[in-house]
């Protein structure tokens, strides 16, 4: 079984910062892309940022210059540093990883349980 466990959500004032962390554990042969998605009430889930195994990154236009994604391949973790937060960043943030559980299986998508981020004064 593969699990993604997130931490770091909470309430922050506009202009503030939060750091989200996600750790993958269980039966893991290799991990390709890791990333963060978010879903606000009444909206579809959207990509926030992703990072490939080699380190190349991709960001939603709305967070470029404010958010930074990073990963530690030795620990199977991915982090999202969120600065200059805005009320429109309020959402449930989900960790995602494309994981190959064993040599005999192909890559599959896994999701964390979600962590709430509220940006409000």
């Amino acid at each position: 079984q593969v699990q993604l466990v997130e931490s770091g959500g909470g309430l922050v004032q506009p202009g503030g910062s939060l750091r989200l962390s996600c750790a993958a554990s269980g039966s893991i042969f290799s991990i390709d892309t890791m990333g963060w998605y978010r879903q606000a009430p009444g909206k579809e889930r959207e990509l926030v940022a992703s990072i490939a195994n080699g380190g190349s990154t991709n960001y939603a236009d709305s967070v470029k210059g404010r958010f930074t994604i990073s990963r530690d391949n030795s620990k199977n973790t991915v982090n999202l540093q969120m600065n200059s937060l805005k009320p429109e960043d309020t959402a449930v943030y989900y960790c995602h990883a494309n994981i190959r559980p064993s040599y005999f299986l192909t890559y599959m998508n896994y999701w964390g349980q979600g962590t709430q981020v509220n940006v409000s004064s």
Side-chain angles (χ1 to χ4, degrees):
Q1 290 279 24
V2 174
Q3 278 190 317
L4 299 182
V5 178
E6 302 133 333
S7 61
L11 173 64
V12 64
Q13 292 186 340
S17 298
L18 279 177
R19 183 179 176 84
L20 304 183
S21 297
C22 174
S25 63
S27 176
I28 298 173
F29 180 75
S30 65
I31 302 178
D32 189 7
T33 301
M34 304 184 81
W36 291 91
Y37 287 70
R38 67 186 180 187
Q39 187 166 20
K43 295 188 176 182
E44 293 187 353
R45 189 173 297 190
E46 63 175 0
L47 174 69
V48 177
S50 64
I51 182 167
N53 183 280
S56 60
T57 58
N58 181 43
Y59 294 92
D61 288 343
S62 59
V63 307
K64 283 181 181 177
R66 301 188 297 122
F67 292 10
T68 302
I69 191 170
S70 61
R71 67 188 282 175
D72 185 334
N73 291 334
S74 67
K75 298 179 180 178
N76 293 335
T77 58
V78 60
N79 301 304
L80 185 68
Q81 179 65 42
M82 305 185 292
N83 298 329
S84 303
L85 282 160
K86 304 175 181 179
E88 51 263 44
D89 294 318
T90 294
V92 178
Y93 284 69
Y94 296 92
C95 177
H96 167 267
N98 196 229
I99 297 174
R100 185 177 178 184
S102 76
Y103 174 81
F104 303 100
L105 296 174
T106 186
Y107 283 94
M108 293 184 281
N109 291 314
Y110 292 89
W111 295 91
Q113 77 284 0
T115 184
Q116 180 71 47
V117 171
N118 287 315
V119 185
S120 174
S121 54

